[in-house]
C-alpha cells in the first residue's frame, strides 16, 4: 500500500505501525500442535508475543522508489514466515523523495482469507483504530450451558449431513473437471522456483462502471474480461502461439453472510471460469465471461469443482497434514491461475495522518503455477496486484501494461 507523506521523524510511523498491529488480537495468535484429534493443530495466543519480531523498516534509495519497493516486496514475499510465531510480518518501506512511504503487510493464508485479511490489515489505519477505541466495552452475554438442547442437536446433525452431501457432490465435480485428458495446461504451468516477481496496475473505476452500464453484468465480469484480454495480448507479444485452449481461472467466493463480521480463519468457496483468451473480439470475450459467471452464480458457491475448499471442511486433521502437499501440487489439474477480488473499506483511510493513496492486494501462488491476479477497488481506482514466479514470468510488467491497453479497447479514451 502507498501512503502520502510527510513521514514523521524519529521512527514515529514505525512505532505507530507496531502499536496498531499489536492491538489486533488475531495478530497475536500462533499455530500449535495438539494431541487430540491426532494430527490436529489449534490457534493459541503467543505467550511471548513481541511485535518487534514482526514489524520492520527498510530504507530504499529514493531515485526510483516505486521500482525498488516492488523489487524488495517481491523478495520479502519469497521468504517463508518464521515457524512457531504468529504467521505475519509488516514492513515500512521508506525513502521516497516526496516523503511518502509504503507498507507491506504479509499474512499467511492460514491466518485469514481475503475478507478477514482486509479486516486485519485495516486495523492499522487511523479510522479503524479510532473506532476500536470508541466502541466501548462489549455487551455482556448471559452465560448458557455448554450442552446443546435437543433442537440444536437436531439442527447440527441436519447441517452436518447437508455438508457431507455437498462435499460428495463437490468431490465428483472435481473429478469431472480435472484435466486428465491431455488438455493443454502448460501456458502458465511451471516448476516452482521459489522466486517472486510483482507488478501493479491501476484502472479508473468509473471507466469499469461505464462499460458495465453499457454491456450489462457486473464490474467483476468486466475485470475478468480485461484479465482475459490482457493475457491474450501478453501471450501474443511474447512470440509463441496462443494457448491451444482457454485458460481456467479459480475465482474465490466468500461464504460469509453479508453484513456479518469476518470470523477467524478461512471461509471460501470458488468458481471455475474459462478465461476466453482464444477469442479475438473484446466484446465477445466480455459476453462469454458474463454468461459463464451467470451460470456459476445460478449454481451457487457451494456446488461445482470450484467449491473444492469445502472438501477441506470435511477431512480429519490427519488427512489435512498428509493430503495438503498432494492437493497443492495437483492444483494445476484443476485451474491455471487464481483471479480474485479483495474488498476494501469504501471510506478514505490514513496512517498517522498520511492518507492512503493506493492498496495493491497480492494473492498466493499455488504449487506448479506461475501467476496470480488480485484486484481491489479503492479511491476511484481498481488496484491490481500481479504475483508471478520470478523465473517463469520475467516480463510481468508487460502483462500489467496489457491491462490498460485492454481497457482502452472496451472503453476508448476520449481524444483531446
Amino acid at each position: 500500500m502507498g501512503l502520502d507523506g510527510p513521514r514523521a521523524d524519529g521512527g514515529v510511523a514505525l512505532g505507530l505501525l507496531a502499536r496498531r498491529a499489536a492491538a489486533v488480537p488475531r495478530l497475536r495468535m500462533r499455530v500449535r500442535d495438539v494431541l487430540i484429534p491426532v494430527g490436529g493443530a489449534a490457534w493459541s495466543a503467543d505467550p511471548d508475543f513481541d511485535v518487534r519480531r514482526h514489524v520492520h523498516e527498510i530504507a530504499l534509495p529514493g531515485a526510483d522508489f516505486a521500482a525498488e519497493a516492488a523489487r524488495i516486496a517481491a523478495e520479502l514475499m519469497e521468504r517463508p514466515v518464521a515457524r512457531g510465531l504468529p504467521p505475519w510480518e509488516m514492513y515500512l518501506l521508506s525513502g521516497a523523495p516526496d516523503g511518502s512511504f509504503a507498507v507491506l503487510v504479509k499474512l499467511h493464508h492460514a491466518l485469514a482469507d481475503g475478507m478477514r485479511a482486509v479486516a486485519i490489515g485495516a486495523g492499522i489505519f487511523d479510522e479503524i483504530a479510532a473506532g476500536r477505541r470508541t466502541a466501548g466495552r462489549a455487551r455482556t452475554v448471559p452465560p448458557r450451558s455448554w450442552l446443546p438442547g435437543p433442537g440444536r442437536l437436531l439442527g447440527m446433525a441436519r447441517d452436518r449431513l447437508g455438508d457431507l452431501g455437498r462435499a460428495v457432490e463437490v468431490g465428483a465435480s472435481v473429478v469431472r473437471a480435472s484435466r486428465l485428458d491431455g488438455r493443454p495446461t502448460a501456458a502458465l504451468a511451471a516448476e516452482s522456483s521459489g522466486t517472486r516477481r510483482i507488478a501493479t496496475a491501476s484502472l479508473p473505476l468509473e471507466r469499469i462502471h461505464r462499460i458495465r452500464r453499457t454491456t450489462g453484468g457486473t464490474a467483476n465480469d468486466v475485470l475478468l474480461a480485461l484479465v482475459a484480454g490482457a493475457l491474450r495480448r501478453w501471450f501474443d507479444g511474447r512470440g509463441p502461439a496462443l494457448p491451444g485452449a482457454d485458460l481456467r481461472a479459480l475465482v474465490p467466493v466468500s461464504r460469509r453472510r453479508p453484513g456479518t463480521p469476518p470470523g477467524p480463519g478461512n471461509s471460501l468457496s470458488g468458481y471455475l471460469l474459462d478465461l476466453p483468451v482464444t477469442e479475438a473480439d473484446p466484446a465477445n470475450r466480455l459476453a462469454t465471461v458474463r454468461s459463464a459467471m451467470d451460470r456459476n452464480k445460478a449454481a451457487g458457491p457451494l456446488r461445482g469443482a470450484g467449491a473444492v475448499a469445502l472438501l477441506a471442511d470435511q477431512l480429519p486433521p490427519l488427512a489435512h497434514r498428509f493430503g495438503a502437499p498432494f492437493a497443492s501440487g495437483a492444483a494445476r489439474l484443476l485451474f491455471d491461475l487464481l483471479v480474485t477480488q479483495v474488498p476494501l473499506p469504501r471510506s478514505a483511510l490514513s496512517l498517522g495522518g498520511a492518507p492512503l493513496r493506493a492498496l495493491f492486494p497480492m494473492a498466493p501462488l499455488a504449487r506448479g503455477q506461475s501467476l496470480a491476479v488480485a484486484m481491489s477497488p479503492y479511491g476511484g481506482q481498481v488496484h491490481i496486484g500481479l504475483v508471478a514466479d520470478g523465473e517463469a514470468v520475467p516480463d510481468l510488467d508487460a502483462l500489467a501494461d496489457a491491462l490498460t491497453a485492454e481497457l482502452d479497447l472496451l472503453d476508448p479514451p476520449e481524444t483531446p
Side-chain angles (χ1 to χ4, degrees), residues 1-8 13 57-62 65-66 69 92-103 354-358:
M1 63 185 75
L3 297 108
D4 288 327
R7 176 177 173 268
E57 180 176 8
I58 300 177
L60 302 175
F65 178 80
L92 176 70
L93 307 180
S94 61
D98 63 355
S100 63
F101 58 95
V103 175
L356 176 65
R357 184 171 55 199

Short mmCIF file of all heavy atoms in Angstrom, two decimals, residues 1-8 13 57-62 65-66 69 92-103 354-358:
data_model
loop_
_atom_site.label_atom_id
_atom_site.label_comp_id
_atom_site.label_asym_id
_atom_site.label_seq_id
_atom_site.Cartn_x
_atom_site.Cartn_y
_atom_site.Cartn_z
N MET A 1 0.85 -1.18 0.00
CA MET A 1 0.00 0.00 0.00
C MET A 1 0.88 1.23 0.00
O MET A 1 1.94 1.25 0.62
CB MET A 1 -0.92 0.00 1.22
CG MET A 1 -0.22 0.05 2.56
SD MET A 1 -1.34 -0.10 3.96
CE MET A 1 -1.71 -1.85 3.90
N GLY A 2 0.50 2.28 -0.71
CA GLY A 2 1.26 3.52 -0.75
C GLY A 2 0.55 4.60 0.04
O GLY A 2 -0.66 4.79 -0.08
N LEU A 3 1.28 5.32 0.87
CA LEU A 3 0.71 6.38 1.69
C LEU A 3 1.45 7.68 1.42
O LEU A 3 2.67 7.70 1.27
CB LEU A 3 0.77 6.04 3.18
CG LEU A 3 -0.05 4.80 3.56
CD1 LEU A 3 0.85 3.63 3.89
CD2 LEU A 3 -0.99 5.11 4.70
N ASP A 4 0.71 8.80 1.38
CA ASP A 4 1.32 10.09 1.16
C ASP A 4 2.01 10.55 2.44
O ASP A 4 1.53 10.31 3.54
CB ASP A 4 0.26 11.12 0.75
CG ASP A 4 -0.23 10.86 -0.67
OD1 ASP A 4 0.57 10.41 -1.48
OD2 ASP A 4 -1.42 11.11 -0.93
N GLY A 5 3.12 11.28 2.27
CA GLY A 5 3.87 11.81 3.38
C GLY A 5 3.27 13.12 3.88
O GLY A 5 2.16 13.47 3.53
N PRO A 6 4.05 13.90 4.66
CA PRO A 6 5.42 13.53 5.02
C PRO A 6 5.46 12.50 6.15
O PRO A 6 4.56 12.44 6.97
CB PRO A 6 6.02 14.85 5.50
CG PRO A 6 4.84 15.61 6.04
CD PRO A 6 3.68 15.24 5.17
N ARG A 7 6.52 11.72 6.14
CA ARG A 7 6.70 10.71 7.17
C ARG A 7 7.21 11.39 8.43
O ARG A 7 8.07 12.26 8.38
CB ARG A 7 7.68 9.65 6.69
CG ARG A 7 8.00 8.60 7.73
CD ARG A 7 8.93 7.53 7.14
NE ARG A 7 9.35 6.62 8.18
CZ ARG A 7 10.46 6.78 8.89
NH1 ARG A 7 11.23 7.81 8.66
NH2 ARG A 7 10.79 5.91 9.81
N ALA A 8 6.68 10.97 9.57
CA ALA A 8 7.10 11.56 10.84
C ALA A 8 8.55 11.21 11.13
O ALA A 8 9.05 10.16 10.75
CB ALA A 8 6.20 11.07 11.97
N ALA A 13 6.38 6.78 12.57
CA ALA A 13 5.49 5.96 11.74
C ALA A 13 5.68 4.48 12.03
O ALA A 13 4.71 3.72 12.10
CB ALA A 13 5.75 6.25 10.26
N GLU A 57 11.45 -1.78 9.42
CA GLU A 57 11.58 -0.70 8.44
C GLU A 57 12.74 -1.01 7.50
O GLU A 57 13.80 -1.51 7.92
CB GLU A 57 11.83 0.65 9.11
CG GLU A 57 11.97 1.78 8.11
CD GLU A 57 12.11 3.15 8.76
OE1 GLU A 57 12.24 3.22 10.00
OE2 GLU A 57 12.09 4.16 8.02
N ILE A 58 12.54 -0.72 6.22
CA ILE A 58 13.59 -0.86 5.21
C ILE A 58 13.66 0.46 4.46
O ILE A 58 12.68 0.89 3.85
CB ILE A 58 13.30 -2.01 4.23
CG1 ILE A 58 13.22 -3.34 4.98
CG2 ILE A 58 14.35 -2.08 3.14
CD1 ILE A 58 12.87 -4.53 4.10
N ALA A 59 14.83 1.11 4.52
CA ALA A 59 15.04 2.37 3.80
C ALA A 59 15.53 2.05 2.39
O ALA A 59 16.49 1.29 2.21
CB ALA A 59 16.06 3.23 4.54
N LEU A 60 14.87 2.62 1.40
CA LEU A 60 15.19 2.36 -0.01
C LEU A 60 15.78 3.60 -0.65
O LEU A 60 15.47 4.73 -0.23
CB LEU A 60 13.92 1.95 -0.77
CG LEU A 60 13.19 0.71 -0.24
CD1 LEU A 60 11.91 0.50 -1.03
CD2 LEU A 60 14.07 -0.52 -0.34
N PRO A 61 16.61 3.43 -1.68
CA PRO A 61 17.11 4.60 -2.41
C PRO A 61 15.96 5.32 -3.09
O PRO A 61 15.08 4.69 -3.69
CB PRO A 61 18.09 4.00 -3.42
CG PRO A 61 17.69 2.56 -3.55
CD PRO A 61 17.15 2.16 -2.22
N GLY A 62 15.95 6.65 -3.00
CA GLY A 62 14.80 7.40 -3.47
C GLY A 62 14.76 7.67 -4.95
O GLY A 62 13.75 8.17 -5.46
N PHE A 65 11.96 5.01 -6.35
CA PHE A 65 11.39 4.39 -5.15
C PHE A 65 10.38 3.31 -5.52
O PHE A 65 10.36 2.23 -4.93
CB PHE A 65 10.75 5.45 -4.27
CG PHE A 65 10.10 4.89 -3.03
CD1 PHE A 65 10.87 4.56 -1.93
CD2 PHE A 65 8.73 4.69 -2.97
CE1 PHE A 65 10.29 4.04 -0.78
CE2 PHE A 65 8.13 4.17 -1.83
CZ PHE A 65 8.92 3.84 -0.74
N ALA A 66 9.51 3.59 -6.50
CA ALA A 66 8.46 2.63 -6.83
C ALA A 66 9.04 1.32 -7.31
O ALA A 66 8.61 0.23 -6.90
CB ALA A 66 7.52 3.23 -7.89
N ALA A 69 10.68 -0.47 -4.40
CA ALA A 69 9.68 -1.02 -3.48
C ALA A 69 9.10 -2.32 -4.04
O ALA A 69 8.90 -3.29 -3.30
CB ALA A 69 8.57 0.00 -3.23
N LEU A 92 7.73 -1.35 6.79
CA LEU A 92 7.61 0.05 6.39
C LEU A 92 8.73 0.33 5.40
O LEU A 92 9.91 0.22 5.75
CB LEU A 92 7.72 0.95 7.61
CG LEU A 92 7.70 2.45 7.35
CD1 LEU A 92 6.31 2.89 6.89
CD2 LEU A 92 8.11 3.23 8.58
N LEU A 93 8.38 0.65 4.17
CA LEU A 93 9.37 0.95 3.12
C LEU A 93 9.44 2.46 2.96
O LEU A 93 8.48 3.10 2.51
CB LEU A 93 8.95 0.28 1.80
CG LEU A 93 8.65 -1.22 1.88
CD1 LEU A 93 8.25 -1.76 0.51
CD2 LEU A 93 9.84 -1.99 2.43
N SER A 94 10.57 3.03 3.35
CA SER A 94 10.72 4.49 3.35
C SER A 94 11.82 4.89 2.37
O SER A 94 12.54 4.06 1.84
CB SER A 94 11.06 4.97 4.76
OG SER A 94 12.29 4.39 5.20
N GLY A 95 11.92 6.21 2.15
CA GLY A 95 13.00 6.71 1.30
C GLY A 95 12.55 7.45 0.07
O GLY A 95 13.37 7.92 -0.71
N ALA A 96 11.25 7.58 -0.17
CA ALA A 96 10.77 8.30 -1.36
C ALA A 96 11.12 9.77 -1.24
O ALA A 96 11.04 10.36 -0.15
CB ALA A 96 9.27 8.12 -1.51
N PRO A 97 11.52 10.41 -2.34
CA PRO A 97 11.93 11.83 -2.27
C PRO A 97 10.83 12.76 -1.76
O PRO A 97 11.12 13.77 -1.13
CB PRO A 97 12.28 12.15 -3.73
CG PRO A 97 12.61 10.84 -4.35
CD PRO A 97 11.73 9.85 -3.68
N ASP A 98 9.56 12.43 -2.04
CA ASP A 98 8.46 13.30 -1.61
C ASP A 98 8.00 13.03 -0.19
O ASP A 98 7.02 13.63 0.28
CB ASP A 98 7.29 13.19 -2.58
CG ASP A 98 6.69 11.78 -2.61
OD1 ASP A 98 7.25 10.88 -1.95
OD2 ASP A 98 5.67 11.58 -3.31
N GLY A 99 8.67 12.11 0.51
CA GLY A 99 8.29 11.82 1.89
C GLY A 99 7.23 10.77 2.04
O GLY A 99 6.89 10.39 3.16
N SER A 100 6.66 10.31 0.93
CA SER A 100 5.67 9.24 1.03
C SER A 100 6.35 7.92 1.37
O SER A 100 7.58 7.80 1.29
CB SER A 100 4.88 9.12 -0.27
OG SER A 100 5.73 8.76 -1.34
N PHE A 101 5.58 6.95 1.76
CA PHE A 101 6.14 5.65 2.12
C PHE A 101 5.15 4.56 1.78
O PHE A 101 3.99 4.84 1.44
CB PHE A 101 6.53 5.60 3.61
CG PHE A 101 5.39 5.88 4.55
CD1 PHE A 101 4.64 4.85 5.11
CD2 PHE A 101 5.08 7.19 4.91
CE1 PHE A 101 3.61 5.11 5.99
CE2 PHE A 101 4.04 7.46 5.80
CZ PHE A 101 3.30 6.42 6.33
N ALA A 102 5.59 3.33 1.84
CA ALA A 102 4.74 2.17 1.55
C ALA A 102 4.80 1.21 2.73
O ALA A 102 5.78 1.18 3.48
CB ALA A 102 5.20 1.47 0.27
N VAL A 103 3.74 0.43 2.88
CA VAL A 103 3.68 -0.60 3.93
C VAL A 103 3.34 -1.92 3.26
O VAL A 103 2.36 -2.01 2.51
CB VAL A 103 2.63 -0.26 4.99
CG1 VAL A 103 2.50 -1.40 6.00
CG2 VAL A 103 3.00 1.05 5.71
N ALA A 354 -1.22 10.34 7.34
CA ALA A 354 -0.82 10.20 5.93
C ALA A 354 -1.91 9.45 5.18
O ALA A 354 -2.18 8.29 5.50
CB ALA A 354 0.51 9.45 5.84
N PRO A 355 -2.57 10.08 4.20
CA PRO A 355 -3.67 9.41 3.50
C PRO A 355 -3.21 8.23 2.66
O PRO A 355 -2.13 8.28 2.05
CB PRO A 355 -4.27 10.52 2.63
CG PRO A 355 -3.16 11.50 2.45
CD PRO A 355 -2.34 11.44 3.70
N LEU A 356 -4.00 7.17 2.67
CA LEU A 356 -3.71 6.00 1.84
C LEU A 356 -3.98 6.36 0.38
O LEU A 356 -5.09 6.75 0.02
CB LEU A 356 -4.59 4.83 2.27
CG LEU A 356 -4.46 3.55 1.43
CD1 LEU A 356 -3.07 2.96 1.55
CD2 LEU A 356 -5.51 2.53 1.86
N ARG A 357 -2.99 6.22 -0.45
CA ARG A 357 -3.09 6.59 -1.86
C ARG A 357 -3.48 5.40 -2.72
O ARG A 357 -4.23 5.54 -3.68
CB ARG A 357 -1.76 7.18 -2.31
CG ARG A 357 -1.73 7.70 -3.73
CD ARG A 357 -0.44 8.44 -3.98
NE ARG A 357 0.72 7.62 -3.69
CZ ARG A 357 1.95 8.10 -3.47
NH1 ARG A 357 2.15 9.40 -3.47
NH2 ARG A 357 2.95 7.29 -3.23
N ALA A 358 -2.95 4.23 -2.42
CA ALA A 358 -3.23 3.03 -3.22
C ALA A 358 -2.98 1.81 -2.36
O ALA A 358 -2.13 1.83 -1.47
CB ALA A 358 -2.35 2.99 -4.47
#
